[in-house]
C-alpha cells in the first residue's frame, strides 16, 4: 500500500480523522461525521469505521491502544500531556512495525528532543 500525501491539518491524527474545536470527526468523501468528544472515544469509533483492530503491530496501533485503554484512568493534566507526546511519537514512529524498533532508535529520538 502506497502512503498518501502528508496531511496539512491535524497531522498527528490518523487518516481521515480531524479535530475541530473539542470534537473529533471522521471525514470521507468530504462528509464530516462526528465520532467523539474525547480522543479515546474518537479513536475507538474511527477504528470501527476503518476496520482497524487494536491488535495491530505498528507503533501507531500501540499508541492508540494505550490512549484508549490506559490513558482515561490518568488525571486530566496528564492526559493532555500524553496526547501531545502521542502525536509527536506517531509522527516519528507511527507506521513502523514494533519488531523493528530498537533501543538505539529510542535513544536517538530522545537525544533529538532533549539535547
Amino acid at each position: 500500500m502506497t502512503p498518501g500525501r502528508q496531511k496539512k491539518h491535524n497531522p498527528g491524527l490518523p487518516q481521515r480523522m480531524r479535530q475541530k474545536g473539542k470534537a473529533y470527526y471522521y471525514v470521507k468523501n468530504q462528509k464530516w461525521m462526528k465520532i467523539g468528544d474525547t480522543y479515546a472515544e474518537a479513536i475507538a469509533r474511527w477504528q470501527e469505521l476503518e476496520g482497524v483492530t487494536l491488535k495491530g503491530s505498528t507503533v501507531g496501533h500501540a499508541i492508540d491502544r494505550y490512549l484508549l485503554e490506559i490513558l482515561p484512568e490518568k488525571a486530566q493534566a496528564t492526559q493532555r500531556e500524553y496526547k501531545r507526546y502521542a502525536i509527536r511519537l506517531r509522527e516519528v514512529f507511527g507506521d513502523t512495525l514494533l519488531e523493528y524498533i530498537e533501543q538505539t532508535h529510542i535513544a536517538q529520538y530522545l537525544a533529538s528532543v532533549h539535547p
Side-chain angles (χ1 to χ4, degrees):
M1 173 161 48
T2 306
R5 66 179 182 213
Q6 186 74 6
K7 289 179 9 178
K8 292 180 183 177
H9 304 287
N10 305 127
L13 295 177
Q15 180 182 14
R16 289 193 271 281
M17 186 172 167
R18 303 286 185 274
Q19 182 178 14
K20 189 172 183 180
K22 293 186 178 185
Y24 293 89
Y25 295 86
Y26 181 77
V27 182
K28 189 169 184 181
N29 299 327
Q30 299 179 348
K31 294 182 183 180
W32 290 58
M33 176 176 48
K34 186 174 179 180
I35 57 174
D37 291 320
T38 66
Y39 185 77
E41 69 181 75
I43 282 293
R45 182 71 177 121
W46 173 85
Q47 289 174 335
E48 290 174 15
L49 294 168
E50 288 288 308
V52 175
T53 65
L54 289 175
K55 294 183 173 44
S57 60
T58 66
V59 174
H61 288 132
I63 290 170
D64 291 342
R65 185 172 180 178
Y66 176 84
L67 293 173
L68 181 64
E69 296 177 5
I70 297 171
L71 191 62
E73 300 169 3
K74 308 281 185 193
Q76 289 296 330
T78 303
Q79 289 184 28
R80 281 191 299 274
E81 288 299 308
Y82 282 21
K83 286 177 189 175
R84 280 189 12 197
Y85 300 151
I87 289 169
R88 292 163 78 190
L89 286 170
R90 181 187 297 286
E91 289 172 353
V92 176
F93 297 111
D95 294 330
T96 307
L97 294 175
L98 287 170
E99 60 202 52
Y100 295 132
I101 298 290
E102 296 178 2
Q103 290 179 354
T104 56
H105 299 132
I106 305 301
Q108 289 170 350
Y109 170 74
L110 290 174
S112 70
V113 174
H114 302 290

